């Protein structure tokens, strides 16, 4: 078999055989497939698509291009959640300890933030001392001790994805469902899961803005997860405004610790509700409770009793962080060293549209996120959103507060955030439905 034969067959729109897909993935991992041949095949896949069998074979081949973790010595079902990402999307920090406190082991392998979205690993690093660079032995020890552990992808996990993702980035072939599915699922399945809850976001702050495309992605992810033997469900959720109030690393951890403490602001209700629903699905899919209703009750009890907070505390301590943030979340915020800038509504009216990605870009553009992978993050920078879609405002009312370092940053990001909100005369904005659809096997 030669790479050009595989490329030609996909170029002509044929379905590739398992041998051809495995040859491609092995060739990319070993370097036998040159970058230009791999890029040509990626473009052919982008243009011609892949059927479900090809997608599953590609996912499995990428998964087996590296290590698949084995936690069978931990006598608990293993489950995880994955989000396609959004602005203020911080639910992992609530879900991991919550699921763990309900008897599910959560080996969470997360990512870094880039562009308008934040990453779980970066958020955790906003806790003084918290280490996400763990060896596999440390990851296993923390998982056993706390019921959940958090780390980044290692070079050993799905190495084919690392290479292919870089090539896709350089060849405008990111946005195609078969390649997205194989990329996401090969990394998630490497953690040896029994169950997976997916949060597929759609809207102005989502990776997939268009609802029909996000729905298509959710269906494809659920199909592949289940056919690979992992009980998988997806929620299609709204990302037409920041999730909750906080956007920015320390602010988001603060919002999550308040939720775990049962002290959250009313504006954080979407984070709380979505976290409970996703965790309940993990608990039910993992078989810890027989029904979703029973799982929701168990999750609600674990949050109310403080069990999830204690689980979070144990994890923070085990991963080297300062556990005192659990008692006093204000320790996370160095507000006295920051400038707080009120971002005002320029006119009276109703919030009719929020360009959520613009808020993410505004925060990251002044150091609160990354525009390039190697950028350092200022964890303290961020925005707390007060205004929500449909809210009625007077001229000068706060859209929210920007936390930044100086006046230049305040003007630059403040203006961008102000422009992200449309305040119009329309009083009847359709109520936001946070969970738009549930996609099951
Ligand atoms: N996230 C991933 O991990 N892979 C993709 O292809 C897209 C989003």
């Amino acid at each position: 078999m030669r790479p050009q034969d595989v490329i030609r067959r996909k170029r002509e729109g044929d379905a590739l055989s398992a041998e051809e897909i495995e040859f491609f993935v092995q060739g990319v991992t070993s370097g036998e497939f040159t970058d230009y041949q791999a890029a040509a095949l990626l473009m052919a896949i982008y243009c011609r698509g892949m059927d479900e069998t090809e997608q599953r074979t590609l996912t499995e081949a990428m998964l087996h291009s590296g290590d698949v973790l084995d936690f069978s010595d931990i006598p608990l079902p293993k489950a995880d959640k994955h989000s396609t990402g959004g602005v203020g999307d911080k639910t992992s920090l609530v879900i991991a300890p919550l699921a763990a406190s309900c008897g599910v082991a959560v080996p969470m392998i997360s990512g870094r933030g880039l562009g308008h979205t934040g990453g779980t690993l970066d958020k955790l690093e906003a806790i003084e001392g918290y280490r996400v660079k763990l060896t596999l032995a440390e990851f296993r020890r923390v998982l056993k001790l706390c019921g959940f552990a958090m780390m980044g992808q290692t070079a050993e996990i799905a190495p084919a994805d690392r290479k292919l993702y870089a090539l896709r980035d350089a060849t405008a072939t990111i946005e195609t469902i078969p390649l997205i599915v194989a990329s996401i699922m090969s990394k998630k399945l490497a953690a040896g899961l029994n169950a997976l809850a997916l949060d597929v976001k759609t809207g102005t702050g989502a990776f997939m803005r268009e609802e029909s495309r996000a729905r298509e992605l959710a269906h494809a992810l659920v199909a592949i997860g289940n056919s690979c033997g992992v009980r998988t469900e997806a929620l299609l959720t709204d990302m037409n405004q920041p999730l909750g109030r906080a956007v920015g690393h320390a602010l988001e951890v603060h919002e999550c610790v308040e939720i775990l403490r049962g002290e959250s602001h009313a504006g954080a209700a979407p984070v709380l509700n979505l976290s409970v629903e996703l965790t309940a699905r993990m608990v039910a899919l993992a078989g810890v409770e027989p029904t979703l209703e029973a799982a929701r009750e168990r999750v609600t009890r674990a949050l109310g009793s403080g069990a999830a907070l204690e689980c979070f505390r144990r994890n923070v301590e085990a991963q080297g962080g300062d556990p005192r943030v659990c008692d006093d979340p204000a320790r996370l915020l160095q507000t006295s060293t920051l400038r707080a800038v009120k971002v005002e509504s320029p006119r009276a009216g109703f919030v009719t549209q929020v360009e959520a990605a613009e808020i993410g870009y505004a925060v990251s553009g002044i150091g609160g996120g990354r525009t390039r992978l190697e950028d350092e993050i200022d964890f303290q920078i961020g925005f707390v959103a007060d205004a929500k879609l449909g809210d009625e405002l007077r001229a000068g009312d706060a859209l929210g507060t920007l936390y930044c370092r100086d006046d230049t940053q305040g003007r630059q990001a403040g203006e961008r955030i102000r422009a992200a909100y449309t305040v119009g005369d329309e009083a009847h904005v359709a109520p936001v439905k946070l969970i738009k659809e549930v996609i099951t096997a």
Side-chain angles (χ1 to χ4, degrees), residues 318-394:
Q319 297 208 202
D322 180 355
R324 289 175 298 176
V325 300
C326 298
D327 304 309
D328 179 15
R331 295 182 76 91
L332 287 155
L333 307 177
Q334 296 159 11
T335 4
S336 61
T337 65
L338 297 168
R339 221 187 279 308
V341 177
K342 179 182 171 197
V343 183
E344 297 181 359
S345 173
R347 55 164 289 186
F350 297 86
V351 180
T352 56
Q353 163 99 4
V354 183
E355 277 297 321
E358 276 298 301
I359 299 174
Y361 283 124
V363 167
S364 103
I366 57 168
R370 273 195 201 86
T371 41
R372 290 168 313 160
L373 262 176
E374 56 278 17
D375 288 347
E376 289 266 331
I377 295 176
D378 184 335
F379 296 124
Q380 293 298 320
I381 284 180
F383 177 66
V384 175
D386 292 319
K388 290 283 165 193
L389 278 167
D391 282 0
E392 183 173 9
L393 302 174
R394 292 165 305 184

Side-chain angles (χ1 to χ4, degrees), residues 93-161:
L93 274 65
V94 177
I95 289 174
L98 192 48
S101 65
C102 292
V104 174
V106 186
M108 197 174 266
I109 297 170
S110 298
R112 300 276 180 190
L114 190 62
H116 71 281
T117 63
T120 302
L121 299 180
D122 298 321
K123 289 172 199 176
L124 288 164
E125 284 179 346
I127 302 171
E128 179 88 52
Y130 197 102
R131 282 197 314 122
V132 295
K133 285 186 190 131
L134 303 183
T135 62
L136 272 181
E138 286 173 321
F139 188 65
R140 186 181 297 277
R141 185 183 63 77
V142 176
L143 183 60
K144 276 188 181 161
L145 187 73
C146 320
F148 80 98
M150 315 289 263
M151 74 167 191
Q153 195 191 348
T154 66
E156 291 78 33
I157 294 171
D161 178 62

